[in-house]
Amino acid sequence: MDTSFFKNNRKRFLDTLEDKSLALFFAGEAPQSSADQLHPFVPNRNFYYLTGIDEPKIILVFTKYNGKVTEHLFVEKPDPVMAKWIGESMSKEQATSASGIETIHYLDELTSFIQMQLLNRSYQHVYFDLEKRAWDAPERPAASFARELTKRFPSLQIHNAYHTICDLRLIKTQEEVDEIKEAGRITSEGIKHLMRHAKPGMKEYELEAYFDFVLKSNGVKHHAFHTITASGKNATVLHYEDNDDVVNDGELVLLDLGAQWNYYSGDISFTFPVNGKFTERQKTIYNIVLSALHKVSDMVKPGVPYRQLQEETRKFLADECIKIGLIEEAEEISKYYFHGVSHSLGLDTHDVGAIWDRDLEHGMVITIEPGLYIPEEGIGVRIEDDVLVTESGNENLTPDLPRTVEEIEAFLAENKK
Ligand SMILES: [Mn+2]
Protein backbone atom coordinates (compact mmCIF):
# COMPACT_ATOMS: atom_id res chain seq x y z
CA MET A 1 0.00 0.00 0.00
CA ASP A 2 1.32 3.44 -0.92
CA THR A 3 2.20 5.87 1.92
CA SER A 4 -0.26 8.38 0.43
CA PHE A 5 -3.07 6.11 1.64
CA PHE A 6 -1.86 6.29 5.26
CA LYS A 7 -1.11 10.05 4.98
CA ASN A 8 -4.66 10.62 3.83
CA ASN A 9 -6.05 8.55 6.72
CA ARG A 10 -4.03 10.68 9.16
CA LYS A 11 -5.29 13.86 7.57
CA ARG A 12 -8.91 12.75 7.84
CA PHE A 13 -8.41 11.82 11.46
CA LEU A 14 -6.53 15.03 12.32
CA ASP A 15 -9.38 17.07 10.87
CA THR A 16 -11.63 15.67 13.63
CA LEU A 17 -9.31 16.76 16.48
CA GLU A 18 -10.00 19.80 18.66
CA ASP A 19 -7.27 22.44 18.67
CA LYS A 20 -4.79 22.24 21.59
CA SER A 21 -4.70 18.45 21.35
CA LEU A 22 -2.30 15.58 21.65
CA ALA A 23 -3.11 12.11 20.30
CA LEU A 24 -1.26 8.87 21.06
CA PHE A 25 -1.60 5.48 19.37
CA PHE A 26 0.10 2.19 20.23
CA ALA A 27 1.11 -0.57 17.80
CA GLY A 28 0.73 -3.15 20.57
CA GLU A 29 2.72 -6.27 21.36
CA ALA A 30 2.34 -9.99 20.77
CA PRO A 31 0.39 -11.56 23.65
CA GLN A 32 1.88 -14.48 25.56
CA SER A 33 0.70 -17.89 24.39
CA SER A 34 2.34 -20.28 26.90
CA ALA A 35 5.65 -20.22 28.80
CA ASP A 36 8.09 -18.23 26.64
CA GLN A 37 6.00 -18.62 23.46
CA LEU A 38 4.12 -15.65 22.09
CA HIS A 39 1.15 -15.50 19.76
CA PRO A 40 2.15 -14.06 16.39
CA PHE A 41 2.28 -10.26 16.51
CA VAL A 42 -0.47 -8.45 14.64
CA PRO A 43 -0.56 -4.66 14.62
CA ASN A 44 -3.46 -2.86 16.21
CA ARG A 45 -5.57 -2.22 13.11
CA ASN A 46 -6.35 1.43 13.86
CA PHE A 47 -2.62 2.05 14.38
CA TYR A 48 -1.86 0.29 11.09
CA TYR A 49 -4.58 2.31 9.33
CA LEU A 50 -2.84 5.53 10.41
CA THR A 51 0.78 4.45 9.84
CA GLY A 52 1.17 1.42 7.54
CA ILE A 53 3.54 0.03 10.17
CA ASP A 54 3.35 -3.58 11.33
CA GLU A 55 6.04 -3.66 14.02
CA PRO A 56 5.44 -4.08 17.75
CA LYS A 57 5.84 -1.40 20.45
CA ILE A 58 5.96 1.62 18.13
CA ILE A 59 3.98 4.68 19.28
CA LEU A 60 2.44 7.38 17.09
CA VAL A 61 1.96 10.90 18.48
CA PHE A 62 0.13 13.85 16.94
CA THR A 63 0.10 17.41 18.19
CA LYS A 64 -2.39 20.02 17.03
CA TYR A 65 -1.80 23.46 18.42
CA ASN A 66 -3.02 26.81 17.06
CA GLY A 67 -4.01 24.95 13.91
CA LYS A 68 -0.51 23.55 13.33
CA VAL A 69 -0.18 19.78 13.16
CA THR A 70 2.93 17.67 13.83
CA GLU A 71 3.39 13.88 13.44
CA HIS A 72 5.90 11.76 15.38
CA LEU A 73 6.80 8.11 15.63
CA PHE A 74 8.68 6.55 18.57
CA VAL A 75 10.60 3.40 17.64
CA GLU A 76 12.82 0.98 19.55
CA LYS A 77 16.51 1.75 19.91
CA PRO A 78 18.66 -0.70 17.92
CA ASP A 79 19.72 -3.60 20.17
CA PRO A 80 22.66 -5.65 18.78
CA VAL A 81 21.96 -8.64 21.06
CA MET A 82 18.27 -8.88 20.18
CA ALA A 83 19.22 -8.36 16.53
CA LYS A 84 21.20 -11.62 16.69
CA TRP A 85 18.27 -13.50 18.26
CA ILE A 86 15.18 -12.21 16.47
CA GLY A 87 16.42 -9.77 13.85
CA GLU A 88 16.70 -6.01 13.82
CA SER A 89 13.82 -3.82 14.96
CA MET A 90 12.45 -1.19 12.61
CA SER A 91 14.95 1.60 11.97
CA LYS A 92 14.08 5.29 11.84
CA GLU A 93 14.49 5.25 8.05
CA GLN A 94 12.22 2.22 7.63
CA ALA A 95 9.58 3.85 9.82
CA THR A 96 9.62 6.93 7.60
CA SER A 97 9.45 5.00 4.36
CA ALA A 98 6.52 2.84 5.57
CA SER A 99 4.47 5.70 6.99
CA GLY A 100 5.61 8.92 5.35
CA ILE A 101 6.18 10.40 8.83
CA GLU A 102 9.46 12.37 8.92
CA THR A 103 10.02 12.93 12.63
CA ILE A 104 11.18 9.75 14.35
CA HIS A 105 12.36 9.44 17.96
CA TYR A 106 13.35 6.55 20.20
CA LEU A 107 10.81 5.17 22.65
CA ASP A 108 12.82 6.17 25.71
CA GLU A 109 12.32 9.81 24.70
CA LEU A 110 8.52 9.59 24.83
CA THR A 111 7.85 10.83 28.37
CA SER A 112 10.25 13.75 28.09
CA PHE A 113 8.63 14.68 24.76
CA ILE A 114 5.11 14.62 26.23
CA GLN A 115 6.28 16.50 29.31
CA MET A 116 7.91 19.23 27.19
CA GLN A 117 4.67 19.70 25.29
CA LEU A 118 2.47 19.84 28.37
CA LEU A 119 4.71 22.06 30.52
CA ASN A 120 5.24 24.68 27.84
CA ARG A 121 1.84 24.92 26.19
CA SER A 122 -1.76 24.98 27.35
CA TYR A 123 -2.94 21.71 25.86
CA GLN A 124 -6.50 20.81 26.77
CA HIS A 125 -7.24 17.49 25.05
CA VAL A 126 -5.57 14.11 24.67
CA TYR A 127 -6.91 11.43 22.33
CA PHE A 128 -6.31 7.71 22.72
CA ASP A 129 -7.72 4.59 21.10
CA LEU A 130 -9.61 3.34 24.15
CA GLU A 131 -11.12 0.27 22.53
CA LYS A 132 -13.10 -1.79 25.03
CA ARG A 133 -14.74 -5.14 24.24
CA ALA A 134 -16.13 -5.95 27.69
CA TRP A 135 -16.63 -4.38 31.14
CA ASP A 136 -14.01 -6.70 32.65
CA ALA A 137 -11.57 -6.68 29.72
CA PRO A 138 -7.94 -6.25 30.86
CA GLU A 139 -6.58 -2.70 30.69
CA ARG A 140 -4.77 -1.89 27.45
CA PRO A 141 -1.59 0.24 27.28
CA ALA A 142 -3.52 3.26 25.99
CA ALA A 143 -5.87 3.18 28.98
CA SER A 144 -3.07 2.89 31.54
CA PHE A 145 -1.12 5.68 29.83
CA ALA A 146 -4.25 7.87 29.95
CA ARG A 147 -4.63 7.11 33.67
CA GLU A 148 -0.98 7.97 34.40
CA LEU A 149 -1.22 11.16 32.35
CA THR A 150 -4.32 12.53 34.11
CA LYS A 151 -2.77 11.71 37.49
CA ARG A 152 0.02 14.15 36.66
CA PHE A 153 -1.97 16.62 34.54
CA PRO A 154 -5.53 16.49 35.93
CA SER A 155 -6.81 19.39 33.80
CA LEU A 156 -6.43 17.40 30.56
CA GLN A 157 -9.56 16.07 28.91
CA ILE A 158 -9.20 12.51 27.68
CA HIS A 159 -11.06 11.58 24.48
CA ASN A 160 -11.66 8.20 22.90
CA ALA A 161 -10.67 8.22 19.22
CA TYR A 162 -11.63 4.56 18.71
CA HIS A 163 -15.07 5.11 17.20
CA THR A 164 -13.91 8.02 15.03
CA ILE A 165 -11.25 5.90 13.35
CA CYS A 166 -13.55 2.87 13.06
CA ASP A 167 -16.13 4.98 11.25
CA LEU A 168 -13.45 6.29 8.86
CA ARG A 169 -12.55 2.65 8.12
CA LEU A 170 -16.11 1.84 7.02
CA ILE A 171 -15.57 3.58 3.67
CA LYS A 172 -12.87 1.89 1.59
CA THR A 173 -10.59 3.45 -1.02
CA GLN A 174 -9.88 1.69 -4.32
CA GLU A 175 -6.52 0.43 -2.94
CA GLU A 176 -8.31 -1.20 -0.03
CA VAL A 177 -10.88 -2.77 -2.35
CA ASP A 178 -8.01 -4.20 -4.42
CA GLU A 179 -6.47 -5.82 -1.31
CA ILE A 180 -9.82 -7.38 -0.35
CA LYS A 181 -10.28 -8.60 -3.93
CA GLU A 182 -6.87 -10.27 -3.86
CA ALA A 183 -7.68 -11.90 -0.50
CA GLY A 184 -10.91 -13.15 -2.09
CA ARG A 185 -9.12 -14.42 -5.19
CA ILE A 186 -6.65 -16.50 -3.17
CA THR A 187 -9.45 -17.75 -0.92
CA SER A 188 -11.44 -18.88 -4.00
CA GLU A 189 -8.38 -20.60 -5.44
CA GLY A 190 -7.94 -22.43 -2.12
CA ILE A 191 -11.57 -23.57 -2.14
CA LYS A 192 -11.24 -24.97 -5.67
CA HIS A 193 -8.05 -26.82 -4.77
CA LEU A 194 -9.78 -28.30 -1.72
CA MET A 195 -12.78 -29.40 -3.82
CA ARG A 196 -10.54 -31.16 -6.34
CA HIS A 197 -9.16 -33.36 -3.58
CA ALA A 198 -12.31 -33.91 -1.52
CA LYS A 199 -13.42 -37.53 -1.14
CA PRO A 200 -15.85 -39.31 1.19
CA GLY A 201 -14.04 -40.82 4.18
CA MET A 202 -11.51 -38.02 4.54
CA LYS A 203 -11.16 -36.04 7.75
CA GLU A 204 -12.32 -32.44 7.79
CA TYR A 205 -8.78 -31.32 8.63
CA GLU A 206 -7.44 -33.03 5.52
CA LEU A 207 -9.71 -30.79 3.44
CA GLU A 208 -8.44 -27.83 5.44
CA ALA A 209 -4.85 -28.77 4.59
CA TYR A 210 -5.52 -28.38 0.85
CA PHE A 211 -6.85 -24.87 1.49
CA ASP A 212 -3.86 -23.98 3.66
CA PHE A 213 -1.43 -25.20 0.99
CA VAL A 214 -2.80 -22.68 -1.51
CA LEU A 215 -2.63 -19.85 1.03
CA LYS A 216 1.02 -20.53 1.89
CA SER A 217 1.91 -21.00 -1.78
CA ASN A 218 0.50 -17.54 -2.49
CA GLY A 219 2.52 -15.84 0.26
CA VAL A 220 -0.38 -15.48 2.68
CA LYS A 221 0.94 -15.20 6.24
CA HIS A 222 -2.30 -15.28 8.22
CA HIS A 223 -5.81 -16.59 7.85
CA ALA A 224 -8.46 -13.91 8.13
CA PHE A 225 -10.12 -16.07 10.84
CA HIS A 226 -10.27 -19.69 12.05
CA THR A 227 -11.22 -21.99 9.18
CA ILE A 228 -14.51 -23.85 9.36
CA THR A 229 -14.56 -27.19 7.50
CA ALA A 230 -17.81 -28.76 8.66
CA SER A 231 -19.48 -31.83 7.23
CA GLY A 232 -23.05 -33.06 7.68
CA LYS A 233 -24.51 -32.16 11.06
CA ASN A 234 -21.36 -30.26 12.12
CA ALA A 235 -22.30 -27.65 9.53
CA THR A 236 -25.34 -26.72 11.59
CA VAL A 237 -23.11 -25.36 14.38
CA LEU A 238 -22.41 -21.77 13.30
CA HIS A 239 -18.78 -21.47 14.43
CA TYR A 240 -17.70 -25.14 14.37
CA GLU A 241 -13.89 -25.12 14.33
CA ASP A 242 -12.92 -28.62 15.53
CA ASN A 243 -12.55 -29.84 11.92
CA ASP A 244 -11.61 -33.36 13.07
CA ASP A 245 -14.63 -35.44 12.03
CA VAL A 246 -14.98 -37.86 9.12
CA VAL A 247 -16.65 -36.50 5.99
CA ASN A 248 -19.18 -39.18 5.15
CA ASP A 249 -20.45 -40.16 1.72
CA GLY A 250 -23.67 -38.28 0.95
CA GLU A 251 -22.91 -35.33 3.21
CA LEU A 252 -22.60 -31.67 2.37
CA VAL A 253 -19.41 -29.87 3.41
CA LEU A 254 -19.75 -26.29 4.61
CA LEU A 255 -16.62 -24.16 4.33
CA ASP A 256 -16.25 -20.70 5.86
CA LEU A 257 -12.72 -19.47 5.41
CA GLY A 258 -10.56 -16.60 4.31
CA ALA A 259 -7.05 -15.52 3.43
CA GLN A 260 -5.67 -12.29 4.82
CA TRP A 261 -3.79 -10.17 2.30
CA ASN A 262 -1.76 -7.17 3.53
CA TYR A 263 -3.96 -7.27 6.64
CA TYR A 264 -7.19 -7.17 4.62
CA SER A 265 -9.59 -10.08 4.99
CA GLY A 266 -11.31 -12.27 2.46
CA ASP A 267 -14.33 -14.14 3.80
CA ILE A 268 -16.18 -16.77 1.79
CA SER A 269 -18.66 -19.48 2.74
CA PHE A 270 -19.14 -22.33 0.31
CA THR A 271 -21.18 -25.54 0.43
CA PHE A 272 -20.74 -28.63 -1.75
CA PRO A 273 -21.52 -32.38 -1.75
CA VAL A 274 -18.40 -34.41 -0.93
CA ASN A 275 -19.34 -37.20 -3.36
CA GLY A 276 -19.99 -34.78 -6.22
CA LYS A 277 -23.81 -35.01 -6.34
CA PHE A 278 -26.46 -33.15 -4.33
CA THR A 279 -29.41 -35.25 -3.12
CA GLU A 280 -32.84 -33.86 -4.04
CA ARG A 281 -33.33 -32.57 -0.50
CA GLN A 282 -29.87 -30.97 -0.35
CA LYS A 283 -30.56 -29.35 -3.72
CA THR A 284 -33.84 -27.87 -2.45
CA ILE A 285 -32.21 -26.34 0.63
CA TYR A 286 -29.14 -25.17 -1.30
CA ASN A 287 -31.26 -23.45 -3.94
CA ILE A 288 -33.27 -21.56 -1.33
CA VAL A 289 -30.05 -20.22 0.22
CA LEU A 290 -28.58 -19.37 -3.20
CA SER A 291 -31.75 -17.47 -4.16
CA ALA A 292 -31.49 -15.55 -0.88
CA LEU A 293 -27.86 -14.69 -1.70
CA HIS A 294 -28.83 -13.36 -5.13
CA LYS A 295 -31.90 -11.54 -3.88
CA VAL A 296 -30.09 -9.77 -1.04
CA SER A 297 -26.94 -9.03 -3.10
CA ASP A 298 -29.17 -7.38 -5.72
CA MET A 299 -30.50 -5.01 -3.04
CA VAL A 300 -27.02 -3.63 -2.32
CA LYS A 301 -26.70 -0.02 -3.47
CA PRO A 302 -26.17 3.41 -1.91
CA GLY A 303 -29.07 4.67 0.19
CA VAL A 304 -30.43 1.27 1.26
CA PRO A 305 -30.66 0.99 5.07
CA TYR A 306 -28.15 -1.67 6.12
CA ARG A 307 -30.57 -3.39 8.48
CA GLN A 308 -33.01 -3.91 5.61
CA LEU A 309 -30.69 -6.64 4.25
CA GLN A 310 -31.28 -8.72 7.36
CA GLU A 311 -35.03 -8.09 7.42
CA GLU A 312 -35.36 -9.16 3.76
CA THR A 313 -33.25 -12.29 4.31
CA ARG A 314 -35.37 -13.45 7.21
CA LYS A 315 -38.58 -12.76 5.32
CA PHE A 316 -37.41 -14.52 2.15
CA LEU A 317 -36.06 -17.60 3.97
CA ALA A 318 -39.24 -17.82 6.07
CA ASP A 319 -41.50 -17.69 2.98
CA GLU A 320 -39.46 -20.36 1.18
CA CYS A 321 -39.30 -22.64 4.23
CA ILE A 322 -43.08 -22.38 4.65
CA LYS A 323 -43.47 -23.36 0.96
CA ILE A 324 -41.49 -26.57 1.44
CA GLY A 325 -43.26 -27.35 4.71
CA LEU A 326 -40.19 -27.03 6.94
CA ILE A 327 -41.97 -24.45 9.13
CA GLU A 328 -45.56 -23.24 9.47
CA GLU A 329 -45.19 -19.70 10.83
CA ALA A 330 -42.66 -17.07 9.71
CA GLU A 331 -41.26 -16.60 13.25
CA GLU A 332 -40.16 -20.23 13.32
CA ILE A 333 -37.41 -19.38 10.83
CA SER A 334 -35.19 -18.50 13.84
CA LYS A 335 -34.92 -22.24 14.42
CA TYR A 336 -33.09 -22.72 11.10
CA TYR A 337 -31.58 -19.28 10.41
CA PHE A 338 -30.17 -17.49 13.44
CA HIS A 339 -27.37 -15.12 12.44
CA GLY A 340 -26.87 -11.84 10.64
CA VAL A 341 -26.72 -11.93 6.82
CA SER A 342 -23.92 -9.40 6.61
CA HIS A 343 -21.00 -7.67 8.27
CA SER A 344 -18.55 -5.03 7.18
CA LEU A 345 -15.25 -6.43 5.83
CA GLY A 346 -11.80 -4.86 5.79
CA LEU A 347 -8.77 -4.75 8.09
CA ASP A 348 -10.85 -6.87 10.44
CA THR A 349 -13.01 -9.73 9.22
CA HIS A 350 -15.95 -8.54 11.27
CA ASP A 351 -14.88 -5.02 10.44
CA VAL A 352 -15.41 -2.17 12.87
CA GLY A 353 -17.54 0.94 12.48
CA ALA A 354 -21.19 1.53 13.35
CA ILE A 355 -22.76 0.24 10.14
CA TRP A 356 -25.95 -1.14 11.67
CA ASP A 357 -27.77 2.21 11.81
CA ARG A 358 -26.42 3.55 8.53
CA ASP A 359 -27.52 3.51 4.93
CA LEU A 360 -25.21 1.80 2.47
CA GLU A 361 -22.66 4.14 0.91
CA HIS A 362 -20.29 3.95 -2.02
CA GLY A 363 -17.03 2.41 -0.74
CA MET A 364 -18.50 0.13 1.92
CA VAL A 365 -17.48 -3.54 1.60
CA ILE A 366 -19.86 -6.02 3.19
CA THR A 367 -20.45 -9.75 3.15
CA ILE A 368 -23.75 -11.33 2.12
CA GLU A 369 -24.07 -14.75 3.77
CA PRO A 370 -27.51 -16.32 4.14
CA GLY A 371 -27.73 -19.86 5.52
CA LEU A 372 -30.08 -22.63 6.61
CA TYR A 373 -29.18 -25.17 9.28
CA ILE A 374 -31.33 -28.27 9.84
CA PRO A 375 -29.62 -30.47 12.46
CA GLU A 376 -32.32 -33.20 12.37
CA GLU A 377 -31.49 -33.76 8.68
CA GLY A 378 -27.72 -33.25 8.99
CA ILE A 379 -27.86 -30.38 6.48
CA GLY A 380 -26.14 -27.01 6.90
CA VAL A 381 -25.82 -24.60 3.99
CA ARG A 382 -24.22 -21.15 3.98
CA ILE A 383 -23.14 -19.26 0.88
CA GLU A 384 -21.18 -16.04 1.19
CA ASP A 385 -19.83 -13.39 -1.14
CA ASP A 386 -17.89 -10.19 -0.44
CA VAL A 387 -19.63 -7.22 -2.03
CA LEU A 388 -18.56 -3.62 -2.72
CA VAL A 389 -21.15 -0.85 -2.71
CA THR A 390 -20.44 1.06 -5.92
CA GLU A 391 -21.73 4.50 -6.97
CA SER A 392 -24.94 3.10 -8.40
CA GLY A 393 -25.11 -0.53 -7.28
CA ASN A 394 -22.68 -3.22 -6.26
CA GLU A 395 -19.77 -5.36 -7.40
CA ASN A 396 -19.20 -8.94 -6.29
CA LEU A 397 -15.54 -9.09 -5.18
CA THR A 398 -15.57 -12.92 -5.02
CA PRO A 399 -16.85 -13.96 -8.46
CA ASP A 400 -14.45 -16.86 -9.16
CA LEU A 401 -16.42 -19.81 -7.76
CA PRO A 402 -19.07 -22.13 -9.17
CA ARG A 403 -22.31 -21.21 -7.39
CA THR A 404 -25.30 -23.05 -8.85
CA VAL A 405 -25.94 -26.76 -8.20
CA GLU A 406 -25.19 -27.48 -11.87
CA GLU A 407 -21.94 -25.46 -11.84
CA ILE A 408 -20.72 -27.14 -8.65
CA GLU A 409 -21.55 -30.66 -9.86
CA ALA A 410 -19.89 -29.95 -13.23
CA PHE A 411 -16.79 -28.56 -11.51
CA LEU A 412 -16.51 -31.63 -9.28
CA ALA A 413 -17.10 -34.04 -12.21
CA GLU A 414 -14.39 -32.41 -14.32
CA ASN A 415 -11.78 -31.72 -11.68
CA LYS A 416 -11.79 -34.64 -9.26
CA LYS A 417 -8.31 -35.94 -8.59
MN1 LIG B 1 -18.51 -13.64 7.04
Side-chain angles (χ1 to χ4, degrees):
M1 201 84 105
D2 196 76
T3 52
S4 62
F5 169 72
F6 302 106
K7 274 184 192 166
N8 190 43
N9 295 343
R10 292 198 290 276
K11 189 189 170 314
R12 291 194 301 148
F13 171 67
L14 284 160
D15 286 345
T16 71
L17 289 192
E18 301 276 352
D19 197 40
K20 302 194 173 173
S21 289
L22 289 168
L24 281 87
F25 296 95
F26 299 74
E29 287 186 54
Q32 185 200 8
S33 151
S34 185
D36 65 349
Q37 287 290 305
L38 302 177
H39 287 289
F41 168 75
V42 291
N44 174 281
R45 291 301 200 273
N46 284 349
F47 177 88
Y48 179 79
Y49 188 72
L50 295 174
T51 61
I53 288 178
D54 58 352
E55 285 262 320
K57 296 186 184 161
I58 296 181
I59 296 174
L60 166 69
V61 179
F62 296 120
T63 71
K64 187 174 187 177
Y65 203 87
N66 290 342
K68 189 176 177 304
V69 166
T70 66
E71 304 176 332
H72 310 257
L73 281 173
F74 291 78
V75 305
E76 282 191 281
K77 248 190 193 146
D79 179 337
V81 178
M82 288 311 278
K84 281 173 98 76
W85 278 68
I86 56 168
E88 286 174 3
S89 59
M90 186 173 243
S91 69
K92 288 186 172 186
E93 294 71 27
Q94 287 170 326
T96 295
S97 77
S99 64
I101 295 174
E102 304 286 343
T103 315
I104 319 284
H105 317 257
Y106 289 124
L107 276 168
D108 58 8
E109 299 157 21
L110 179 72
T111 29
S112 62
F113 174 85
I114 299 287
Q115 173 174 293
M116 279 282 285
Q117 295 290 327
L118 293 175
L119 295 180
N120 294 313
R121 288 165 159 188
S122 57
Y123 280 99
Q124 291 168 8
H125 312 278
V126 189
Y127 293 75
F128 292 97
D129 180 340
L130 299 172
E131 178 185 9
K132 192 111 182 130
R133 311 290 305 183
W135 177 268
D136 289 329
E139 191 174 72
R140 290 163 185 264
S144 42
F145 200 102
R147 205 158 35 74
E148 289 300 319
L149 197 60
T150 45
K151 219 159 63 183
R152 291 169 174 80
F153 299 91
S155 68
L156 288 172
Q157 278 182 49
I158 302 295
H159 299 259
N160 186 2
Y162 174 73
H163 299 285
T164 310
I165 300 171
C166 293
D167 285 342
L168 293 177
R169 281 172 50 186
L170 262 183
I171 309 296
K172 271 74 181 176
T173 65
Q174 187 57 47
E175 299 108 295
E176 291 182 285
V177 172
D178 291 342
E179 304 285 19
I180 296 170
K181 242 186 192 169
E182 180 62 3
R185 187 194 67 74
I186 299 169
T187 304
S188 303
E189 203 185 300
I191 291 173
K192 288 191 210 165
H193 188 67
L194 179 161
M195 283 167 79
R196 285 186 195 108
H197 291 86
K199 281 191 213 71
M202 285 170 91
K203 291 285 192 120
E204 292 163 339
Y205 55 73
E206 292 180 75
L207 296 180
E208 194 182 352
Y210 286 106
F211 177 71
D212 289 351
F213 175 80
V214 171
L215 263 54
K216 271 273 183 202
S217 315
N218 278 274
V220 169
K221 287 189 186 155
H222 302 287
H223 291 81
F225 53 93
H226 298 302
T227 294
I228 297 171
T229 321
S231 60
K233 196 180 172 195
N234 298 333
T236 64
V237 177
L238 189 60
H239 285 169
Y240 172 83
E241 292 169 1
D242 292 344
N243 302 350
D244 57 3
D245 212 346
V246 175
V247 186
N248 296 305
D249 197 4
E251 284 181 339
L252 291 179
V253 177
L254 187 158
L255 310 170
D256 189 348
L257 29 69
Q260 190 187 97
W261 187 250
N262 292 332
Y263 298 105
Y264 284 84
S265 290
D267 182 4
I268 298 179
S269 301
F270 190 88
T271 308
F272 71 99
V274 68
N275 65 11
K277 279 269 172 213
F278 286 85
T279 65
E280 281 309 311
R281 181 62 170 176
Q282 289 168 347
K283 207 184 281 188
T284 302
I285 304 301
Y286 185 90
N287 280 331
I288 292 174
V289 177
L290 185 65
S291 301
L293 175 77
H294 288 149
K295 193 176 164 58
V296 178
S297 298
D298 286 347
M299 288 170 62
V300 173
K301 64 174 184 200
V304 173
Y306 180 72
R307 62 171 67 220
Q308 208 172 306
L309 303 179
Q310 176 68 350
E311 288 157 11
E312 279 298 320
T313 307
R314 269 185 66 89
K315 193 173 163 307
F316 179 82
L317 290 176
D319 287 350
E320 294 300 308
C321 288
I322 290 171
K323 277 188 213 160
I324 61 163
L326 186 64
I327 56 172
E328 285 172 10
E329 305 288 335
E331 301 76 59
E332 294 171 65
I333 193 61
S334 304
K335 194 175 159 195
Y336 298 112
Y337 171 66
F338 46 86
H339 58 80
V341 74
S342 173
H343 54 82
S344 185
L345 184 71
L347 282 172
D348 284 293
T349 299
H350 293 165
D351 210 21
V352 292
I355 196 172
W356 185 247
D357 291 320
R358 304 238 322 227
D359 292 349
L360 295 176
E361 276 175 52
H362 177 207
M364 288 178 174
V365 175
I366 60 173
T367 64
I368 304 291
E369 48 181 312
L372 282 175
Y373 313 91
I374 315 171
E376 60 272 24
E377 298 184 36
I379 294 179
V381 176
R382 181 162 63 255
I383 317 175
E384 175 178 27
D385 277 325
D386 304 339
V387 177
L388 167 70
V389 185
T390 60
E391 250 168 280
S392 57
N394 65 77
E395 180 191 344
N396 181 7
L397 301 179
T398 47
D400 304 331
L401 290 164
R403 280 307 195 191
T404 66
V405 163
E406 295 71 28
E407 285 167 358
I408 291 171
E409 289 185 347
F411 179 92
L412 290 167
E414 285 160 27
N415 289 281
K416 273 276 185 220
K417 291 264 179 277

